[in-house]
Amino acid sequence: MITIVAVGLVFVLLAFVRASISSWLLAMMVIVPIVAIQASISETALQIVYLALFLFVVFFGIPFLRRTVISRAMLKVFRKILPQISATEQEAIDAGTVWWDGELFSGNPNWHKLHSYPKCGLSDTEQAFLDVEVEQLCAMLDDWDITHNRADLPPKVWQFIKDKGFFGMIIPKAYGGLEFSAQAHSAVVSKIASRSGTAAVTVMVPNSLGPAELLLHYGSDEQKNNYLPRLAKGLDVPCFALTGPFAGSDAGAIPDVGVVGYGEFNGQKNVLGICITWEKRYITLAPAATLLGLAFKLYDPERLLGGEESRGITLALIPTDTAGVKIGRRHFPLNSAFLNGPTQGEAVFIPMEYLIGGTNRIGQGWRMLMECLAAGRSISLPASSIGGMKLAARTSGAYGRVRKQFKVPVGKFEGVEEALARIGGHTYMVDAARQFTALAIDLHEKPSVISAIIKYHATERGRIVINDAMDVHGGKGICMGPDNYLARFYQQMPIGITVEGANILTRTLMIFGQGAIRSHPYVLKEIAATRDENQQRALKNFDEAVFAHISFALSNAARSLVFGISQGYGMPIDAAPEVKRYYQQLTRYSAAFALSSDIAMAVLGGSLKRREKLSARLGDVLSQLYLCSATLKRFADQGCPVEDLPLLHWAMQDALYKIEQAFAGVAQNFPNVLARFVLRTLIFPVGQRLMPPSDELGHQVASLLMQPGSVRDRLTAGMYLGGADEQDAVCALEAALLSTLACEPLQALIEQARKDKTIKFLGELPSIVAARDAGIISPEQALQLERDYALRRKVIMVDDFAPEELRVKK
């Protein structure tokens, strides 16, 4: 009993501190003698134990001896067993920065740091642009006309976008751009996406990974002065070509080749330049582009530039009127009308000045792309997804309340409540993560791991939300036409899931695959030490990193066990009572995640890259930890509104349950039996205890979506509502919701009159007239009910067409 108590006290103590290797050696000096004495071993055996303990403490506790005897041998082994990392993998790992993901990998997140980040928000100028120019643009958009009739934006919309600077949101004012924050960029795209996916993509692409972004970071002064003002004013339409038929997710394998040589350009002979041949596809805005960004592999067989023959991936900026450039044809991705198509070039000669950043940037193309991709992927796709999710949330709640079957609003059926709860909870969490991630960009972070998390979950949860919204709307959702506000979003959702890193690969290879190395506090340092050719420095750095890593892992093992037993209770967390429990649970699971990551890397080594399902589950844990962090920050930054608690509770409980399930999947499927036992024992010492959100909580969330008020407005803030034009489908639905709630007491009077046989039921409209004539309702109330009927009928009805209207136009 004494042994158990002693060991338990030591573990509890070490669970609450960031223990060093010295702390663990001190703990051993306490625990081992107690265990030896309690075991009643002989005096000789006891002396052997003490001698072994002494030697262990000396060799591990004295840095010089440890480095000389232990670390030197370990370094040799590590150099042999560490997996080879390709050049493109290394550049992807090196690109970007570590932000809040580093705290989640620490096993003990600093929640004060989370809330010390600035609140999300826009400047007055940015908010005014959102309220005026973006509102005007949305009012100009007829998505049915755009997608069905034109397969393009109308010319006046294109011109408005250019004239008002939508293409120059990320370009500094010094070059004629708007110089908006990432949060404003995200808000603009999100609002437009709630109206038209085609318009949102058209606006977001020039402000995402492309010529403007690349020029800002890597362009020469001459290139910036030449191109950025033209891009800001819309005089040039940009696109960027990376993906080709034989290089999709493995973009580093691009076969497009440029060869350094002399050629003729613009009538001038013997110009040093590059002859490029390429074939690209899926290039957004390519059919209308005047400026083509291009990624290719550069070769210098005659070594005209000096150095190696193979110079690596390089980026160029090519006017599309250059001889040999082919653009204009279009792809047709899932009936979406945004311009997207292939581009080819056969032996196109360009001068060296067309290289982005000039010759100094030769071979740096992949790193340049990875660094810019972190910013673009953090903003564009999450923003476009949340725009559609807010549209789905607001309209599904309203439709569920207005549409009745069996005299009951369909949203009150429990099956529909489940769908509405998912819509509300996912929208609340994704919007929190969208804003939090955009904030990171504004803080000059380049969060490569976080960008993969938010891209994946914004689009995946967007798919869940739109599927649920279609189920809520039933037949209303599946009949295409001007009054269908969901179908195009439903059709186009797989596009976001596919682009900028297909979601399957993002989940299985990128989130944890990069995060385990990039965001871990010690792994990158250990890898760097193994590659350092300075042996003395390598040994010193390796020793410091590896033994800090060992103590880090032991501390997280202690934390996982102790907090697993206590279920996180007892942690000193300074937070509101309504949410304190969530911080405790996240801290517990952060420790378990750090421990699981270390066990996976230690046991599986290089083969972990091939254990994609295992990597995906660990990535799921990291993702949920990040999403929960963003959700808690949102709640705190908005002043902890009590009315929003059902949304917060649903989102958090759903995510925590998924964390537990992911951990269970890791433990169950880990290929090493001993590691499986250790993981399950340390993470779930008292078993799995969490449950998904309750039916009652789902009912509360569904009710909030169906009730006009501050909660519903906050949840869908920033989407386009369309003013007061009741001919617009969304506006009519909003009006119908308010009218339904206002008229239900009057309808109850008429229903009671029918039951009392004061009036006969002759249909809804004749019954209103009869009730008015019988004095049950006033003439004004009768007009109110007739308007209510007209509104409900409009939002329930679906579009129909004459056969010739649906024939393909020739």
Side-chain angles (χ1 to χ4, degrees), residues 12-31:
V12 170
L13 175 63
L14 293 176
F16 281 92
V17 298
R18 292 182 183 270
S20 65
I21 194 68
S22 301
S23 303
W24 283 102
L25 291 173
L26 181 61
M28 288 184 64
M29 293 172 66
V30 173
I31 293 172

Side-chain angles (χ1 to χ4, degrees), residues 285-289 320 325-331 339-344:
L285 294 188
T320 56
V325 175
K326 296 179 182 178
I327 62 167
R329 293 188 64 80
R330 294 180 60 176
H331 302 309
L339 299 183
N340 182 278
T343 174
Q344 301 89 25

Side-chain angles (χ1 to χ4, degrees), residues 22 258 432 443 507 528 531 692 698 736:
S22 301
L443 295 175
R507 176 175 178 260
R531 296 178 175 178

Side-chain angles (χ1 to χ4, degrees), residues 362-556:
I362 287 175
Q364 299 179 28
W366 188 247
R367 184 184 181 93
M368 292 159 67
L369 290 172
M370 289 299 99
E371 289 180 346
C372 289
L373 182 62
R377 193 164 51 187
S378 297
I379 299 170
S380 300
L381 290 171
S384 59
S385 290
I386 198 61
M389 292 171 75
K390 288 181 177 181
L391 173 67
R394 195 165 185 102
T395 57
S396 296
Y399 191 81
R401 188 64 181 82
V402 171
R403 176 66 164 152
K404 296 181 180 179
Q405 291 290 276
F406 309 105
K407 299 183 180 180
V408 176
V410 296
K412 293 189 176 183
F413 288 93
E414 290 192 353
V416 178
E417 279 189 346
E418 284 187 335
L420 289 174
R422 286 192 295 268
I423 291 171
H426 289 318
T427 302
Y428 185 83
M429 178 167 272
V430 169
D431 200 29
R434 172 192 67 86
Q435 294 180 68
F436 189 44
T437 307
L439 174 65
I441 305 300
D442 287 331
L443 295 175
H444 309 294
E445 300 288 346
K446 295 179 179 179
S448 54
V449 175
I450 286 174
S451 71
I453 291 173
I454 185 61
K455 185 271 175 180
Y456 174 83
H457 283 275
T459 52
E460 284 295 334
R461 291 174 186 241
R463 172 155 58 181
I464 293 170
V465 164
I466 187 59
N467 283 342
D468 281 331
M470 292 291 284
D471 286 347
V472 172
H473 282 73
K476 172 73 175 177
I478 63 172
C479 290
M480 302 288 291
D483 284 342
N484 190 323
Y485 38 77
L486 290 178
R488 290 302 190 204
F489 181 50
Y490 173 78
Q491 279 185 311
Q492 296 162 17
M493 194 66 233
I495 299 172
I497 291 200
T498 302
V499 301
E500 293 194 24
N503 276 12
I504 289 178
L505 296 184
T506 297
R507 176 175 178 260
T508 57
L509 295 178
M510 295 177 64
I511 294 176
F512 182 76
Q514 289 184 17
I517 297 175
R518 191 73 185 88
S519 304
H520 193 285
Y522 301 110
V523 169
L524 205 56
K525 297 176 183 177
E526 293 164 347
I527 292 175
T530 63
R531 296 178 175 178
D532 192 342
E533 295 181 358
N534 184 316
Q535 297 300 318
Q536 186 174 357
R537 183 177 58 205
L539 181 59
K540 180 179 180 296
N541 291 341
F542 179 79
D543 173 77
E544 291 175 354
V546 79
F547 281 96
H549 191 165
I550 290 170
S551 62
F552 171 79
L554 291 172
S555 294
N556 282 316

Side-chain angles (χ1 to χ4, degrees), residues 115 119-120 428 576 578-579 631-645 648 714:
H115 294 295
K119 291 183 179 180
C120 299
Y428 185 83
E578 301 91 344
V579 296
T631 302
L632 290 171
K633 178 169 172 57
R634 169 186 179 155
F635 183 72
D637 286 353
Q638 292 183 339
C640 302
V642 176
E643 317 89 71
D644 289 1
L645 279 173
L648 175 80
R714 275 193 297 272

Side-chain angles (χ1 to χ4, degrees), residues 106 389 439 595 663 689 692 724 738:
S106 75
M389 292 171 75
L439 174 65
L595 171 69
F663 273 132
R689 296 298 184 89
L738 296 174

